[in-house]
Amino acid sequence: MPYGYTGRILRVDLSGGTTSVDTMGDLFYRKYLGGAGFISYFLLKELKPGIDPLGPENKLIFALGPVTGVPLSGSGRNCIGAKSPLTGGYTKSEVGGFWGAELKHAGYDAIIVEGKAEKPVYLWIEDGVVSIKDANHLWGKNTKETQDIIRDELGDDLIRVAAIGPAGENLVRIACIMNDLKDAAGRGGTGAVMGSKNLKAVAVRGHSRPEVADPGRLGEFRQWLLANRQLWASFAEFGTGAAMASTIGTGNIPVRNFQNGEFAEISNISADTVKDTIRIKMEACYACSVRCKKVVKVEKPYSVDPEYGGPEYETLAAIGSNCGVSDLKAVAKGHELCGAYSLDTIATGDTIAFAMECFENGLLTTEDTGGIELKFGNAEAMLQIIELIARRQGIGNLLAEGTARAAKKIGKGAEDFAMHVKGVEIPMHEPRLKAVLGLGYVVNPHGADHCANLHDTMLSQEGPPLERFKSLGILGPLPADDLGPQKVAIFRNVHLFRIVQDSLVFCQFVPYDSEQMADILAAVTGWKTGIVEMLRIAERTLTMARLFNIREGLTADDDKLPKRFFEPKKDGVLSTRHYDAEQLEKAKGYYYTLMGWDGKTGVPTPEKLEELGIE
Amino acid sequence: MPYGYTGRILRVDLSGGTTSVDTMGDLFYRKYLGGAGFISYFLLKELKPGIDPLGPENKLIFALGPVTGVPLSGSGRNCIGAKSPLTGGYTKSEVGGFWGAELKHAGYDAIIVEGKAEKPVYLWIEDGVVSIKDANHLWGKNTKETQDIIRDELGDDLIRVAAIGPAGENLVRIACIMNDLKDAAGRGGTGAVMGSKNLKAVAVRGHSRPEVADPGRLGEFRQWLLANRQLWASFAEFGTGAAMASTIGTGNIPVRNFQNGEFAEISNISADTVKDTIRIKMEACYACSVRCKKVVKVEKPYSVDPEYGGPEYETLAAIGSNCGVSDLKAVAKGHELCGAYSLDTIATGDTIAFAMECFENGLLTTEDTGGIELKFGNAEAMLQIIELIARRQGIGNLLAEGTARAAKKIGKGAEDFAMHVKGVEIPMHEPRLKAVLGLGYVVNPHGADHCANLHDTMLSQEGPPLERFKSLGILGPLPADDLGPQKVAIFRNVHLFRIVQDSLVFCQFVPYDSEQMADILAAVTGWKTGIVEMLRIAERTLTMARLFNIREGLTADDDKLPKRFFEPKKDGVLSTRHYDAEQLEKAKGYYYTLMGWDGKTGVPTPEKLEELGIE
């Protein structure tokens, strides 16, 4: 067993009400690392093709990495995966907080949840001991009530809880899973999978720190981070979403369902304004020095509970500018509601924005909305719709299906307004500005994801960000709208590195570079490893995710952007630029080739599978 | 200008008798690094297609790397390249000693020699000042006489001399270039190119050390090497070629022109025996702690001058076992003669072995040989043929063309005995034992080369060598006769890393691993770099070498092994194993694919060229 791991994978069969522990050989850990790697492995190996994502045959996997729970900034996270109720293919999502570290301390590297409990249950894991506990009294409760009751009945305020609210229970396809109320495994609909299993929460408490191979070396990395505060000072001060008032000028921030580039009120919802108005403090995840998490409090006109943390950039834009909403207190309330109900704020914001555009174009009427004037900028409407989605009431029952399915049901051209890739709503970054982001959105196995991507505006001019990328082979500035082979190759490396981080499972905001991450992995596990091996692990993981998707019927045709990106924005700096479809197709083909997949179909070649040791 | 470089490339036009200095931008250094990278760049950019390798339009390039001449073990080397008179394509060869470091100290990163002097000349470079000096009095002299006269007439015993002997002058295609009498840039026939330019020697003296970005970090690497003596202790004690008596049992050592696996007298010519009998000391290259170079002295029956150093493994096997010769003193004499005449010992040994097999099969007779009984094991004959080849006398004129051309001229099936790839003679490592070695021999741009290769017996069982390769992505032991996609991928990474070393220009025997080499490069240049960038530089260099070869008419059909390897050996452990032609073709195709070249033709794709920034 390598250092850094517990060597134990918990398997919970909710149908049978039994639990067991898998032990895997060293090779398993070295081949798949953790997090995203584990999830690719178990989904591909264990799921029967064609199963219903919301049926008992799906598996919900909570996976840690070798660094999870070691005393190092960025190591508190966990990864959650399943067959996605949005894409019908592979999904995984990462989440911060303390829960991941706590699970490691409780003695497990992962949990595989199988089957479906007859009645609502929650899992209670305390230092290796697992109980499946009744959750009838928790069903219907929001995440805070759930957490409070669990901590209370188990008698320990330091229990960490991953839970769903009503949205997960109601199989809302854009439901997420919340850690400690404040952190969301947002994307891909894993909250609905959890709900479909009648699993309300996973509560964990552990006291056993994983042993690491070289604690001294790990200490050096802690010191390095403290000595290089300038690299993360802005995160510590503002969290995500600072300076939105100036970045709106680049065209990156979506406005009114990705239609506009201009949003005069943008400074109202920037993290700078959050800091100056509603923010009461900053908080950290497990062991983290960066402390990038906002905590906000509002009393009027909405009461916003600080226990739900505060909105990240994605949320500020998704239920803010993308819905035309500039009322920061309403955005803060929307953020709290999403946390309480376990809704992905990105998907929720996009879905509401989509519905607003449908409404403004007459595809939805007050008859459909139950009287709500669902117009861009209507903050009250935004909040009402969140409630309806979570409870699948009225129009919310339609929108709970996510934009792609809702658009199909509405018909009449609504699909032109549905901003998604493979059914997963688009994050708050604009491919018409950053060409490679569009490539990343389409080739990423779990749909549009800004985290597993390259923000290529950083590569467009000389400077420290570009310098950092030179070690990945970039020779000089490449314009943000370039999507040639060099850009594709750099993107592939960055994407692979993100998958490494998601397998480690490590935070992207802690600014260790790829060389340092390799050294950290070596210090934790004792392996003599390096970047080449780490990138190959990511290649393996992505290729297995691709195989899973292919088995589920997804093809290269599903690697496509919504139509809107091929048109210019209605105003702002990108009103004269649109995404080039031919350029994207070429780039896609070259990406497939670089991955060792067929350049046309994107199907991994038999040789690549053999090379990567995929059976 | 990055640290570690002088920023000056010396250009010498021997036709016009003029010199000039090129200054290149930072990007040139970062894109091509040095050594092999510089050579790929200048050959592809500056040579007209189809020129005669032995005509004035060829260019002879001496190239250093960023680490050359910095105070670190392994940094005394240089690289020499040209269009090869053996392959008709790209060649480059590395050489140790002091000359490379001295050239850096004299103020240059490279020398490009163009044209042809009307009469013999030598170059004299002293602290940046270049003179083209008359060498009429040196012509016909061996390398020691040449060096002695130059040092004497310039009045400095510390002048470093790269020179050719009569073999280079006589355009012997297997001629090499000697540094300080003891070190050979052996492969590819660059000695003949030097001769064709009437350039007898390049003498250098310099006093200016290159500045490095982080001398302290470099010092740590010096300390690390001293603290890890166990990694190179065997080299320090024996040099190359230890334990040949036991490794003959693996089948790796060629015997009688690669026919046999058994050679009863092998222990006579092992480096252990060299140590116990004729060795008088060990020596080092510039700044090197390893000191792996044998110095031998013999008085009877041959007088062998210690100033020529001593035979490496390749020489012990090439003019020893591969010629059936077990007389160590004769081998030592042969080594001295090759140094004195500037002959590549590998090619010379293979050529003589080829001639011996022709003789034993009646394709050559005493009429052809001038009475020499050219049989395997005839040590005297071996020595006589070396003399004849160097002087192009008698049968030597035929053999001076190398095995491939000689075989073609002899006809009558002689080609079956010619052991070469692309006209370059096979080194002393057996592809029937190490499958991937055969792949390396065929795809390497300058023909069969053991240095730019992977000795995959190291990967066949668990243990420290395999552990080292895990950072390149190998998952577990792979049999030495395996040539599947995983092996091909590992080979590609190792091959690329060797090209990095040849660009740095750094010694393979100093046991820094790839991570350390990246750190050393960063410490010298100040670049924030890493393995990914280094491997991309090597990809670029290999792809440019491939383009050069394609331009000169070489195709995938030239990437082939001699017929003999597809048959078993006559005796020994490999008498039941032969190389699998179909397996090799598959592996070749997969290698091309991994390189971003067409999987059938091996032609680099336009996208790959664009990705790598090759115009």
Side-chain angles (χ1 to χ4, degrees), chain A residues 27 30-31 470-473 475 485-486 489 493 513 515 528 530 532-533 536 590 607-608 610-611, chain B residues 27 30-31 470-473 475 485-486 489 493 513 515 528 530 532-533 536 590 607-608 610-611:
Chain A
L27 184 60
R30 190 128 189 192
K31 251 178 112 166
K470 284 194 176 165
S471 71
L472 291 179
L475 292 165
Q486 193 184 151
N493 280 340
D513 65 22
E515 278 76 16
K528 167 151 180 34
V532 174
E533 182 179 9
R536 276 173 70 84
Y590 195 55
E607 291 82 5
K608 179 52 75 175
E610 199 182 331
E611 181 202 325
Chain B
L27 183 60
R30 190 127 189 193
K31 250 178 114 167
K470 284 193 177 166
S471 71
L472 291 178
L475 292 166
Q486 193 184 150
N493 280 342
D513 65 23
E515 277 76 17
K528 165 146 182 38
V532 174
E533 183 179 9
R536 276 173 70 86
Y590 195 55
E607 289 83 5
K608 179 54 75 173
E610 200 182 333
E611 180 201 326

Side-chain angles (χ1 to χ4, degrees), chain A residues 66-346:
Chain A
V67 298
T68 310
V70 307
L72 188 72
S73 297
S75 70
R77 300 171 71 78
N78 64 281
C79 189
I80 304 179
K83 178 171 178 175
S84 167
L86 281 173
T87 72
Y90 171 93
T91 198
K92 62 126 187 88
S93 191
E94 289 74 36
V95 49
F98 295 79
W99 187 94
E102 198 73 28
L103 180 65
K104 177 74 75 74
H105 297 176
Y108 294 103
D109 296 322
I111 309 173
I112 303 171
V113 181
E114 307 177 344
K116 177 182 178 174
E118 224 168 293
K119 292 175 183 175
V121 295
Y122 73 94
L123 288 183
W124 165 227
I125 303 169
E126 185 183 25
D127 287 321
V129 181
V130 186
S131 326
I132 302 175
K133 297 186 73 81
D134 177 65
N136 268 310
H137 57 306
L138 302 174
W139 211 246
K141 298 271 188 285
N142 68 31
T143 51
K144 186 181 173 187
E145 292 159 345
T146 303
Q147 176 170 293
D148 286 349
I149 295 171
I150 287 176
R151 285 180 173 174
D152 193 49
E153 72 189 24
L154 298 176
D156 185 347
D157 273 357
L158 288 174
I159 287 170
R160 301 298 176 179
V161 178
I164 53 170
E169 294 174 14
N170 295 325
L171 311 185
V172 172
R173 287 183 196 265
I174 55 176
C176 64
I177 298 172
M178 298 300 297
N179 279 4
D180 311 329
L181 319 185
K182 293 183 178 109
D183 295 284
R187 316 309 317 278
T190 54
V193 177
M194 189 154 160
S196 76
K197 300 193 169 303
N198 275 332
L199 179 64
K200 179 67 179 175
V202 183
V204 292
R205 187 77 173 101
H207 300 83
S208 172
R209 292 277 175 94
E211 236 186 301
V212 303
D214 188 346
R217 184 93 181 97
L218 214 57
E220 288 172 28
F221 282 104
R222 275 196 299 277
Q223 291 306 318
W224 180 90
L225 195 67
L226 294 174
N228 286 276
R229 198 186 149 82
Q230 77 284 359
L231 295 175
W232 45 273
S234 161
F235 272 121
E237 191 175 354
F238 300 107
T240 57
M244 284 166 70
S246 61
T247 56
I248 189 90
T250 65
N252 188 52
I253 304 174
V255 179
R256 296 183 199 90
N257 202 27
F258 294 86
Q259 293 182 95
N260 302 90
E262 290 175 1
F263 191 62
E265 308 90 337
I266 189 75
S267 64
N268 295 0
I269 56 169
S270 165
D272 317 47
T273 307
V274 173
K275 182 187 174 201
D276 295 341
T277 57
I278 60 175
R279 204 176 89 187
I280 57 169
K281 61 175 172 175
M282 295 296 276
E283 281 186 347
C285 295
Y286 172 79
C288 191
S289 307
V290 175
R291 303 185 68 79
C292 74
K293 294 158 43 114
K294 312 170 187 75
V295 178
V296 303
K297 186 176 180 183
V298 177
E299 279 166 0
K300 286 183 198 163
Y302 314 99
S303 153
V304 176
D305 186 342
E307 283 210 46
Y308 286 104
E312 299 295 340
Y313 166 74
E314 295 295 321
T315 308
L316 293 167
I319 59 178
S321 61
N322 206 36
C323 290
V325 170
S326 60
D327 176 346
L328 180 59
K329 291 178 179 173
V331 170
K333 183 67 191 175
H335 169 261
E336 181 216 64
L337 291 178
C338 286
Y341 297 147
S342 74
L343 281 171
D344 172 20
T345 57
I346 296 173

Side-chain angles (χ1 to χ4, degrees), chain B residues 103-167:
Chain B
L103 180 65
K104 178 74 75 73
H105 298 175
Y108 295 102
D109 296 322
I111 309 173
I112 303 171
V113 182
E114 307 176 344
K116 177 183 178 175
E118 222 170 294
K119 292 175 181 176
V121 296
Y122 74 95
L123 289 183
W124 165 226
I125 303 169
E126 186 184 25
D127 286 321
V129 182
V130 186
S131 327
I132 302 174
K133 298 186 71 84
D134 177 66
N136 267 310
H137 57 306
L138 300 175
W139 210 246
K141 297 272 189 284
N142 67 33
T143 52
K144 184 180 174 188
E145 293 159 345
T146 302
Q147 176 170 290
D148 286 350
I149 294 170
I150 288 174
R151 286 180 172 174
D152 193 50
E153 73 189 24
L154 299 176
D156 186 346
D157 273 355
L158 288 174
I159 287 168
R160 301 298 176 178
V161 179
I164 52 169

Side-chain angles (χ1 to χ4, degrees), chain B residues 296-453:
Chain B
V296 304
K297 187 177 180 182
V298 178
E299 279 167 0
K300 282 180 201 168
Y302 315 99
S303 152
V304 176
D305 186 340
E307 285 211 44
Y308 286 104
E312 299 295 342
Y313 165 75
E314 295 295 321
T315 308
L316 293 167
I319 58 177
S321 61
N322 206 34
C323 290
V325 170
S326 60
D327 176 346
L328 180 60
K329 291 178 179 175
V331 170
K333 183 66 189 176
H335 170 260
E336 180 216 64
L337 290 178
C338 286
Y341 296 147
S342 73
L343 281 171
D344 172 18
T345 58
I346 296 173
T348 303
D350 277 3
T351 302
I352 296 172
F354 157 79
M356 285 173 164
E357 190 173 354
C358 288
F359 187 87
E360 292 200 348
N361 284 278
L363 306 187
L364 292 175
T365 64
T366 46
E367 202 171 309
D368 300 304
T369 64
I372 299 171
E373 282 291 321
L374 196 48
K375 288 190 173 162
F376 285 115
N378 186 342
E380 271 299 332
M382 178 268 286
L383 294 174
Q384 284 173 293
I385 298 290
I386 291 177
E387 298 266 3
L388 294 176
I389 290 174
R391 305 204 178 278
R392 278 195 177 266
Q393 288 169 350
I395 183 89
N397 193 40
L398 173 69
L399 300 179
E401 295 291 290
T403 49
R405 285 173 176 77
K408 215 165 185 181
K409 284 192 186 159
I410 294 167
K412 299 173 286 182
E415 282 176 307
D416 290 354
F417 309 153
M419 301 301 291
H420 69 91
V421 174
K422 297 188 183 68
V424 173
E425 284 74 12
I426 308 279
M428 301 300 113
H429 301 268
E430 175 56 67
R432 278 167 292 193
L433 171 65
K434 306 166 181 175
V436 88
L437 201 77
L439 176 66
Y441 284 168
V442 303
V443 301
N444 191 55
H446 53 277
D449 184 351
H450 60 294
C451 295
N453 221 317

Side-chain angles (χ1 to χ4, degrees), chain B residues 447-505:
Chain B
D449 184 351
H450 60 294
C451 295
N453 221 317
L454 164 64
H455 290 210
D456 55 356
T457 44
M458 291 193 290
L459 308 184
S460 62
Q461 52 191 7
E462 291 286 357
L466 181 69
E467 275 309 308
R468 278 182 47 218
F469 281 94
K470 284 193 177 166
S471 71
L472 291 178
I474 194 168
L475 292 166
L478 291 172
D481 62 354
D482 170 81
L483 204 46
Q486 193 184 150
K487 183 73 82 67
V488 173
I490 299 294
F491 159 74
R492 173 176 172 272
N493 280 342
V494 171
H495 193 212
L496 288 173
F497 181 62
R498 295 299 178 209
I499 300 297
V500 170
Q501 288 182 309
D502 296 346
S503 300
L504 278 167
V505 177

